[in-house]
Structure formats: C-alpha cells, structure tokens
C-alpha cells in the first residue's frame, strides 16, 4: 500500500535536510509503529506523506497503491484515503466539528463517486462514530479543536478518522496527552476501525500504547533514518535500553554510506 | 484561481454583454454649479423647498474641503468632469440566459441565485409572471395594507412632502461632511420608507430590493422612519457583482427610530473593485447614520463589504432616547488593491444606552483594511455601555490591517470595553483542512466564514448562504 524509497526531505527553500534516506514498506492489513527520539524526523515523515507544503522531497519517492504521490496536493491524497492524525491538531475558530466533518466526508465521497449524505443522514452516521470513541455529542457543535484540552484534541482526531474511514492512517503521537482510560478507549476504537484493507502507522514514544494496539512491525528512527526494524519485542527492548545503543549504530551506518 | 480569472474576464467583458447602458442621448452638462443643481431639481419636477434644500447643500459644499484623514490613497474624483444627472436607464435586453457570458452565469450559479433572478440581474427578458413590475405591485399592495409607505425618494417628495421635509437632513445635516453635502445637492434617487405607529413591516424589504434597486445611481439617498412601536428590516445591495459607469458613489442614508421602534439595516456591497492594479474600481464614500430618537429604540447596522476599490464608510448611531440600543456588525473584505476604511460611531446621549460593535476585517492580496470606530459617551448619558470587538484576519504577506478605536467618555458611570485581535490564516490551518479533503479555496472559505460567523448570522436568512459563498469567491486563489 505504502512504499517509501530512499526518501530525502528538506525544509522547503532552506536546504535543511531532515529525512536522510528513509525506506519503509507498509502492506494492507498491517500495523506499523515508528519510535525514536525527539527531533528524529517522525512527524516530518508523516507530514510529507500527507503532502505538507513546508517540506520538499529532494530525492527518493513515495508510492501509494503502486503510484507516486509526490505530485498530488494534500486534498487529493486525502481523497485517495490518506489520513494524518496530527501531533498538534489545529484550531479552526467559528467552524464546528460537524460542519467540517460533513464537508470533508462529502468532498471525499464525491471524489470517490460515493453518495453524499444530507445533514440528517449524516447526523445518524455520526452517532455511531461518536460511540466508537466514546465522545460527547456536544463536541459536534463546538469549533474545531478551539479550546479543547490536549486529550480532547487527540480523541477528536481519531473521531475524524472514524468518520472518514481512510485506507492509510498515520497517527502521530495520538497517545500523548490521553489519560489512562481515554488511551484504552481510543486504542479500542482504532482496533475496531482497522481491518484487512487498510493500514495504520503509529508514531509513539511509549510502549504502553503498543500493548493495546499490537503492531506487526516496529521501526526506530534516528537522525532522519530508520535505523532498526523488528517485531513488537523491539518496542519492549527500547523501553528497557533507551536509544543510546542504537544511536552509535546510526552514525556508523551514516558514515558507512 | 481560475475563478478569479473568470471574475476578471467577466468584468473586462462588460461591454460585450450589455452591462453598460446605451449611449445616453440626453445632453446634460458636465460639471457642477448652481444652474446644474437647479436643472436636476427641475428635471425631477421638484417643489421649491426641495430645490432650496439642494442649493443650500451645494453652497455649503463649495466651502468644504475634500477630506483626507482616512487610511487610503486614490486619485481624487474630478468634480468638474462628472455628470451629475442621468436619465433613467434602459438595460439592453437579451433574449435568453444562453446569451449571457458563461463566466457570469458561473458566478450566479456559485452564489446560488435562482434562475429567474439571474435573468433579471443579467438583463434578460423575463416571463410575464416573474416580471419585476408585477412583483413590485404585489409588494406594494401588501405593504400598503399594513400602512407602510415604501417608494422612491422622488415619489416621496411629491406624495409625502411633509414627511420628507421634516426628516430629510435631520440626521445627516447638509453640511455634515463633504460627500454628504454633495449628495444633498445632487442626489439622484433612492428609497423612502415610513412605518407608522404600532406596525410591524410585513416583510423584509430585501426581496424587493434585490430585483428593483439595480440602478440606484451614484448619489443615492435613503430615508427610513420607524414610528413608535414599529419594526422594519431593510437590505440593500446584492451578492452578484455590480458594475456602474460612475466611479464615484456617495450615498446618504438616514434612519430615524421613535419610542420602542426598531430598524435593522443590512448591506451587501459588491461593486466592481478594479483590476489587479486597482484601476477603474468604484469609490464608495457613504454617509450612513441612524438616530435612536425614542426611548427603548434600536438601530442595527449589518454590513458585508466586499467590493469597491476604495470604501470609506462609518454607519453610526446617535443614541438619544433613554435605554436605546445601537449595533454595528461588519465584515469588510479587501483583496488585490482594494482599500477599505470603515467602522462606526456610537454617540451615547441618553441614559442606559447600549451599543455593540463587532467588526471583522479580512485582508488579502495587496489590500489595506482599516477599522475606525468612535464611541462617545456624553455627560448626561448615565450608565451607558459599549462593547467593541474588532478582529482582523490577514491572508498572505502583502496586505495590511489597522485598527483605530477612539473612545471619549464624559460620564464616569459609562462602561466601555474594547477587544481587538489580529490573526493570520496560517499554512498549518490550510494544510489541516486540506488533509481532511478540502481544496485550498474551500479551506480558506471555511476559515473565513468561521471568522465572520457572528456577523453573518445577523444577515437576513435568505442572504446568509449567498453571503457565505460570496466570501469564498472573493478570496479564491488568495493564498499561494
Ligand atoms: N520547518 C522547519 N524548519 C526547520 N527545521 C525543521 C522544520 N520542521 C522540522 N524541523 C526540524 O526537523 C527535525 C525533525 O522534526 P520532527 O517534528 O519530524 O521530529 P519528531 O521526530 O516528530 O520529534 P518529536 O518526537 O519531538 O515529535 C527537528 O529537529 C525539527 O526541529
Ligand atoms: Mg513529532
């Protein structure tokens, strides 16, 4: 589904290289976890897959369902089923969650030739989705993320994911900021949404999340590269040992190339 | 972005599609002097007192200086080259909508304007049932039944001279300001509305206007009087882009509300704003003022200003009656080279008077958008209160937003609150919405509509949807 090949990414117009040759393959039905120290490039990777204009691909390619998506605008990628749950969800004052979701849903539906829902149908549709992440319906009438607590914003991201039913979900530190109960609920929700035809990439700092959502693969990113990949035991190993032992590994690798 | 082009080209093609009138054969002298003023009055068959009113205004005007205190630069109108009177216009008729420029039709459709109205706006001949004359008649009958007088100012001068004489110039005196004086001397036409005691005007006076007020002329004059316990809501303008061969528009609007009366006045202004370099756009220099004469009276101004090259406009309320209420809700959008300096004045004279100001300025392109507001609490206005909120939103890096609040209080019991914010539509916000599937233009439109929500909800219902779309169209392609 997603194939990232030797991806080099710079900050647009500034020549600062952040990703320095990332390779990653995600297949249908899989869950991948990406871990790594602060500033290693995890969010940048997620954002460039979603098409953030601040970054520029200087080398390599991103293939999605067999085709390069480098030339696609962010909205076109969203139509194609790419979803990014933001590490820092953005506030849109004056626009209700409901309004945004209906626009999003219908725009995406239209682009896929699916039927659009009128406000009443959409309302019904939303009820089920609210339940999935145990969200209070009051949030529908509140402005998108405006004044939401940190945890509420994260839950809202997964609610949006539930509504839009993407095929590739990139969840950037969705667990950070969620309380213990919320983490369980949101993780349950993600598990229910995930099926054979879609894939999930989790970016996280904490092994705890991976107890709830069990990944097929775990990758460690350091210094703009994936320096180690493994199964879910790798996450436990990281929890014990930290990143130091890999960091030497990374520089050695870096120099060797 | 292609839509911006579409708008551009539809503006460029006005001749081809009949937005201009045929050459006026009537030979009216250019420039202005006492004879010209007299001639205008004569052409309109006005009584002596009206002619005198005009002359007095003209004489005052000659002694006044064109103002320059606002935040806008433009080429001054050449007053000796203007033509101050034009005969009623006949729009060239097209036979069907198919003959209308497809770009214009696209805009109408985007705005969601009903088919029959599209025809009228574009100057296409319409079916007998939907003929504007017949609509006009139905409206008139309904209003007459309720006792509401609603007609053109010219007609009011003839039919209701005692009312016009009593109220015209009573809120905006002829020497009030340079443009008001000029308007008072040469006003072309406009509307007059009188709502008698204990009467609720049976309809929004908007539906009527949308169709009939297309050719208001450059010096429009409006007078609305709401007697005790009456209520009226009035909307001028429309969302469809409007063109006019006159560059200078200097209207005067006067509102008068007696005890317990309420006037709601809404404006949607979308005059031609000029090309990329600002050439050819309309100068919109309007004096709008309401007087809350009676106790518990209320005047509310709502405006959506999106057009014109230069807008100078400060709809104000004089809060004379005790417990009276003044409101000003404004959205001003500027793009390209547009300049808007707009705001309000709330003059508190009576006790327990209350005013609210909500202003939303949106600037994009190379435009400049200023809010200028004055709140004045006089010595006798015990317990007067004002709340002002002025928010500016910037789109892109080359536009400007400014806020000039003036507060004067001569009464220690007065309470004035002022809040102001400036925000920029950020790349991050647009990316977020695009990630959720919206196009860049839709993302901007959504952000802007969210920003203006408090004001847009004050517009008459049937215009709210169009207004939303208009904002989107105005700002299409304004980022990146
Ligand atoms: N626009 C930018 N300009 C300059 N540097 C940038 C820009 N965007 C990201 N960076 C830098 O790139 C590096 C990677 O950032 P990124 O947000 O991808 O890290 P991360 O792995 O997600 O970190 P965290 O775990 O703290 O979320 C950081 O050093 C960051 O400062
Ligand atoms: Mg991050």
């Amino acid at each position: 589904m997603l194939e990232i090949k030797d991806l080099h990414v710079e900050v647009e117009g500034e020549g600062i290289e952040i990703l320095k040759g990332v390779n990653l393959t995600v297949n249908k039905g899989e869950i991948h976890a990406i871990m790594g120290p602060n500033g290693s490039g995890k969010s940048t990777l997620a954002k460039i897959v979603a098409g953030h204009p601040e970054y520029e691909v200087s080398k390599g390619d991103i293939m999605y369902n067999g085709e390069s998506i480098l030339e696609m605008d962010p909205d076109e990628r969203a139509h194609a089923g790419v979803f990014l749950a933001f590490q820092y969800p953005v506030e849109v004052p004056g626009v209700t969650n409901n309004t945004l979701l209906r626009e999003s849903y219908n725009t995406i539906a239209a682009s896929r030739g699916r039927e659009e829902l009128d406000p009443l149908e959409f309302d019904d549709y939303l009820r089920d989705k609210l339940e999935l992440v145990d969200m209070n319906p009051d949030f529908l009438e509140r402005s998108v993320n405006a004044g939401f607590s940190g945890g509420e914003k994260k839950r809202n991201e997964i609610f949006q994911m539930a509504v839009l039913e993407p095929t590739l979900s990139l969840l950037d530190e969705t667990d950070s900021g969620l309380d213990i109960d919320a983490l369980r609920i949101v993780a349950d929700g993600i598990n229910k949404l995930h099926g054979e035809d879609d894939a999930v990439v989790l970016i996280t700092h904490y092994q705890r999340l991976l107890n709830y959502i069990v990944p097929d693969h775990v990758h460690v990113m350091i210094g703009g590269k994936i320096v180690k990949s493994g199964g879910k035991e790798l996450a436990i190993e990281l929890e014990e040992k930290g990143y130091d032992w890999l960091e030497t590994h990374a520089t050695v690798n870096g120099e060797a190339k | 972005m292609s839509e911006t082009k579409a708008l551009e080209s539809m503006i460029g093609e006005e001749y081809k599609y009949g937005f201009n009138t045929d050459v006026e054969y009537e030979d009216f002298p250019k420039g202005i002097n006492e004879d010209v003023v007299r001639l205008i009055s004569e052409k309109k068959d006005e009584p002596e007192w009206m002619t005198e009113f005009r002359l007095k205004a003209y004489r005052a005007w000659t002694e006044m200086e064109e103002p320059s205190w606002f935040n806008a630069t433009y080429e001054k109108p050449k007053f000796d080259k203007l033509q101050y009177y034009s005969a009623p216009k006949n729009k060239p008729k097209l036979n069907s909508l198919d003959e209308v420029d497809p770009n214009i039709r696209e805009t109408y459709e985007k705005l969601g304007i009903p088919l029959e109205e599209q025809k009228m706006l574009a100057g296409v001949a319409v079916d007998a049932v939907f003929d504007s004359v017949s609509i006009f008649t139905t409206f008139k009958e309904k209003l007459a039944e309720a006792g509401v007088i609603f007609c053109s100012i010219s007609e009011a001068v003839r039919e209701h001279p005692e009312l016009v004489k009593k109220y015209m110039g009573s809120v905006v005196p002829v020497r009030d300001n340079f443009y008001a004086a000029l308007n008072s001397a040469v006003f072309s036409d406009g509307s007059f509305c009188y709502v008698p005691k204990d009467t609720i005007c049976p309809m929004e006076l908007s539906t009527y206007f949308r169709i009939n007020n297309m050719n208001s002329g450059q010096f429009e004059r409006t007078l609305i009087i709401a007697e005790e316990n009456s209520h009226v809501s009035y909307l001028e303008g429309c969302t469809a882009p409007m063109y006019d061969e006159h560059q200078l528009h200097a209207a005067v609007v006067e509102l008068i509300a007696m005890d317990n009366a309420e006037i709601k006045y809404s404006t949607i202004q979308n005059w031609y704003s000029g090309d990329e370099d600002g050439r050819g756009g309309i100068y919109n220099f309007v004096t709008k003022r309401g007087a809350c004469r009676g106790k518990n009276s209320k005047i509310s101004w709502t405006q959506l200003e999106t057009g014109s090259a230069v807008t100078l406009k400060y709809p104000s309320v004089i809060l004379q009656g005790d417990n009276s209420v003044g409101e000003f809700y404004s959205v001003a959008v500027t793009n390209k080279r547009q300049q808007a300096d707009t705001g309000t004045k709330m003059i508190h004279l009576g006790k327990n008077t209350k005013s609210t100001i909500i202003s939303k300025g949106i600037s994009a392109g190379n435009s400049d958008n200023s809010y200028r507001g004055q709140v004045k609490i006089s010595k006798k206005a015990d317990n007067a209160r004002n709340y002002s909120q002025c928010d500016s939103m910037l789109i892109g890096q080359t536009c400007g937003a400014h806020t000039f609040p003036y507060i004067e209080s001569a009464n220690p019991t007065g309470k004035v609150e002022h809040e102001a914010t400036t925000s920029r539509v950020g790349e991050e916000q647009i990316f977020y919405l695009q990630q959720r599937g919206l196009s860049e233009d839709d993302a901007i439109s959504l952000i802007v509509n969210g920003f203006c929500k408090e004001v847009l909800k004050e517009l008459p219902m049937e215009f709210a949807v169009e207004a939303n779309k208009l904002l989107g169209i105005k700002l299409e392609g304004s980022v990146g």
Side-chain angles (χ1 to χ4, degrees):
Chain A
M1 172 175 294
L2 178 69
E3 203 185 346
I4 297 173
K5 291 190 277 195
D6 190 27
L7 189 69
H8 290 252
V9 170
E10 297 178 356
V11 177
E12 169 85 38
E14 297 197 13
I16 309 168
E17 190 170 66
I18 299 174
L19 299 185
K20 302 171 179 168
V22 174
N23 289 291
L24 178 69
T25 302
V26 178
N27 296 310
K28 256 184 8 182
E30 290 180 346
I31 296 177
H32 289 240
I34 299 179
M35 304 181 79
N38 294 134
S40 57
K42 303 179 298 295
S43 294
T44 305
L45 179 64
K47 285 197 250 181
I48 196 74
V49 172
H52 199 297
E54 201 171 310
Y55 305 101
E56 189 179 22
V57 172
S58 54
K59 196 175 160 207
D61 207 346
I62 305 171
M63 313 286 286
Y64 177 66
N65 292 335
E67 280 174 50
S68 172
I69 55 169
L70 293 186
E71 294 303 313
M72 282 163 77
D73 286 339
D75 48 328
E76 292 169 329
R77 299 187 198 196
H79 299 167
V82 176
F83 179 88
L84 171 61
F86 284 60
Q87 183 176 1
Y88 304 108
V90 179
E91 302 190 1
V92 193
V95 177
T96 64
N97 249 335
N98 198 349
T99 306
L100 170 60
L101 281 172
R102 204 172 66 234
E103 267 215 32
S104 295
Y105 181 92
N106 282 334
T107 312
I108 293 173
S111 77
R112 295 188 191 163
R114 277 205 321 245
E115 203 184 326
E116 297 181 30
L117 298 181
D118 68 35
L120 288 179
E121 291 168 334
F122 192 67
D123 208 54
D124 288 342
Y125 176 75
L126 284 186
R127 297 291 142 188
D128 297 343
K129 302 297 181 181
L130 282 169
E131 249 169 58
L132 198 75
V133 290
D134 193 22
M135 198 150 108
N136 186 334
D138 292 351
F139 279 95
L140 291 176
E141 293 313 317
R142 282 179 61 180
S143 293
V144 178
N145 295 324
F148 285 28
S149 76
E152 286 166 349
K153 284 183 184 174
K154 295 302 177 72
R155 191 186 294 230
N156 196 34
E157 293 290 288
I158 300 308
F159 173 56
Q160 297 186 20
M161 170 183 164
V163 172
L164 301 178
E165 300 185 325
T167 41
L168 174 65
S169 303
L170 310 159
L171 312 181
D172 192 356
E173 292 198 29
T174 300
D175 53 336
S176 310
L178 289 175
D179 67 43
I180 302 160
D181 291 335
L183 178 65
R184 192 173 28 78
I185 293 162
V186 167
D188 275 353
I190 295 169
N191 281 329
K192 279 186 200 142
L193 290 168
H194 173 58
E196 280 179 5
D197 293 323
D198 68 278
V200 177
V201 177
L202 301 167
I203 294 170
T204 182
H205 285 298
Y206 306 107
Q207 197 272 330
R208 196 184 54 206
L209 174 71
L210 307 180
N211 289 336
Y212 294 112
I213 308 172
V214 182
D216 301 296
H217 301 274
V218 175
H219 311 276
V220 182
M221 179 171 254
I222 295 178
K225 270 188 199 172
I226 290 177
V227 298
K228 193 165 176 61
S229 299
K232 66 172 195 282
E233 15 13 280
L234 178 57
I236 298 167
E237 197 178 353
L238 289 171
E239 185 94 340
E240 281 166 12
K241 298 208 233 166
Y243 294 113
D244 275 358
W245 62 288
L246 287 168
E247 248 161 283
T248 26
H249 187 69
T251 30
V252 170
N253 257 5
E255 277 164 12
K257 279 204 174 171
Chain B
M1 232 161 291
S2 64
E3 283 79 7
T4 321
K5 290 235 176 61
L7 274 176
E8 284 303 307
S9 66
M10 79 189 251
I11 286 153
E13 302 200 51
E14 57 194 82
Y15 293 105
K16 195 164 149 200
Y17 293 100
F19 264 103
N20 259 21
T21 49
D22 286 330
V23 182
E24 275 160 18
Y25 38 85
E26 192 154 8
D27 231 357
F28 198 87
K30 284 208 164 102
I32 182 165
N33 54 43
E34 288 204 10
D35 289 339
V36 167
V37 174
R38 267 184 231 281
L39 197 58
I40 292 171
S41 195
E42 192 179 302
K43 288 250 176 224
K44 296 172 79 70
D45 260 336
E46 289 175 348
E48 185 56 30
W49 60 268
M50 195 72 255
T51 317
E52 282 308 313
F53 179 96
R54 289 179 181 275
L55 285 169
K56 197 170 113 199
Y58 172 71
R59 287 171 200 142
W61 181 73
T62 55
E63 288 161 17
M64 294 169 102
E65 296 242 352
E66 200 176 345
S68 58
W69 44 264
F70 37 74
N71 189 28
T73 46
Y74 57 93
E75 202 180 314
K76 304 271 181 232
K78 297 184 179 60
F79 294 101
D80 54 337
K81 297 265 161 55
L82 294 179
Q83 189 165 344
Y84 291 85
Y85 178 84
S86 34
K89 298 165 201 169
N90 285 312
K91 280 195 173 188
K93 292 263 170 177
L94 306 176
N95 291 318
S96 89
L97 270 177
D98 300 336
E99 293 172 35
V100 178
D101 178 354
N103 290 327
I104 296 180
R105 290 204 56 192
E106 200 186 312
T107 308
Y108 288 162
E109 256 140 48
K110 276 191 182 166
L111 289 168
I113 297 173
L115 213 65
E116 290 301 331
E117 284 185 34
Q118 290 187 23
K119 289 186 185 171
M120 279 178 252
L121 292 168
V124 174
V126 290
D127 310 342
V129 256
F130 220 83
D131 182 280
S132 55
V133 176
S134 67
I135 287 183
F136 175 86
T137 321
T138 334
F139 284 164
K140 269 213 139 167
E141 276 166 12
K142 214 165 145 193
L143 290 169
E145 233 169 79
V148 176
I149 303 171
F150 186 47
C151 59
S152 71
I153 279 279
S154 315
E155 196 181 328
V157 169
R158 287 192 303 269
E159 310 283 328
H160 310 282
E162 66 305 334
L163 289 174
V164 179
K165 227 171 166 172
K166 183 168 169 193
Y167 291 110
M168 190 190 273
S170 76
V171 187
V172 180
V174 292
R175 8 180 102 251
D176 189 79
N177 69 70
F178 184 82
Y179 287 104
L182 181 62
N183 174 290
S184 301
V186 301
F187 66 87
S188 32
D189 213 336
S191 355
F192 174 82
C193 178
Y194 178 83
V195 189
K197 204 174 155 193
D198 300 325
T199 304
I200 300 211
C201 185
M203 59 209 230
E204 293 262 354
L205 294 180
S206 49
T207 334
Y208 166 86
F209 257 92
R210 170 145 160 171
I211 299 156
N212 285 281
N213 205 28
M214 302 304 299
N215 286 316
S216 50
Q218 53 180 348
F219 299 106
E220 194 177 353
R221 185 95 196 185
T222 304
L223 178 58
I224 300 176
I225 302 138
E227 290 283 11
E228 240 172 84
N229 284 317
S230 70
H231 179 286
V232 61
S233 168
Y234 181 101
L235 183 133
E236 65 165 355
C238 80
T239 48
M242 297 223 270
Y243 310 95
D244 196 81
E245 64 267 39
H246 301 295
Q247 184 165 40
L248 174 64
H249 277 241
V252 171
V253 177
E254 294 175 283
L255 312 180
I256 296 139
M258 301 309 200
D259 286 0
N260 301 309
E262 181 175 343
I263 303 176
K264 187 174 165 57
Y265 192 105
S266 315
T267 305
I268 295 179
Q269 188 265 113
N270 189 16
W271 292 104
Y272 177 43
S273 56
D275 62 14
E276 287 293 337
D277 303 316
R279 271 189 305 259
I282 302 263
Y283 297 165
N284 186 25
F285 302 159
V286 187
T287 307
K288 290 186 166 175
R289 195 174 303 155
C292 282
R293 296 244 164 105
K295 288 195 292 274
N296 309 313
S297 56
K298 178 173 171 185
I299 289 180
S300 178
W301 298 101
T302 305
Q303 60 174 24
L304 174 57
E305 300 284 324
T306 66
S308 298
V310 186
T311 297
L312 304 175
K313 181 179 167 188
Y314 316 92
S316 308
V317 184
I318 301 168
L319 297 145
Q320 220 171 318
D322 290 347
N323 312 318
S324 59
V325 176
E327 293 174 338
F328 175 73
Y329 299 99
S330 170
V331 171
V333 184
T334 53
N335 200 352
K336 298 182 198 163
R337 297 269 167 194
Q338 282 180 279
Q339 308 175 74
D341 191 311
T342 180
T344 184
K345 280 188 221 166
M346 293 291 175
I347 314 289
H348 293 257
L349 302 175
K351 294 188 181 59
N352 306 314
T353 45
K354 209 169 90 183
S355 62
T356 304
I357 300 171
I358 310 278
S359 162
K360 306 277 178 177
I362 300 151
S363 10
N366 294 303
S367 69
D368 219 356
N369 202 323
S370 303
Y371 166 81
R372 189 182 302 276
Q374 185 184 36
V375 176
K376 202 169 169 176
I377 296 180
S378 74
K379 229 195 263 161
K380 289 185 183 151
D382 291 341
N383 301 313
R385 276 172 299 157
N386 163 267
Y387 172 73
S388 305
Q389 185 190 326
C390 305
D391 300 322
S392 310
M393 181 175 258
L394 301 166
I395 302 177
Q397 305 293 330
T398 50
C399 54
H402 319 270
T403 305
F404 306 101
Y406 305 95
I407 298 166
E408 264 174 66
S409 181
N411 186 314
T413 64
K415 215 173 120 192
V416 178
E417 262 178 272
H418 180 87
E419 285 174 27
T421 65
T422 301
S423 55
R424 197 177 282 282
V425 174
E427 207 177 48
E428 211 51 38
Q429 245 179 347
I430 295 172
F431 175 64
Y432 187 69
L433 297 178
Q434 275 193 285
Q435 209 309 296
R436 298 301 182 251
L438 275 59
S439 70
E440 187 176 67
D441 283 336
D442 286 346
I444 293 169
S445 179
L446 199 66
I447 293 166
V448 166
N449 278 306
F451 175 70
C452 301
K453 207 176 194 177
E454 291 154 277
V455 173
L456 296 179
K457 75 174 180 2
E458 295 295 325
L459 284 173
M461 267 292 280
E462 71 255 49
F463 284 91
V465 177
E466 274 183 42
N468 266 331
K469 292 183 186 152
L470 174 61
L471 285 176
I473 292 176
K474 276 316 249 205
L475 294 167
E476 263 169 9
S478 53
V479 169

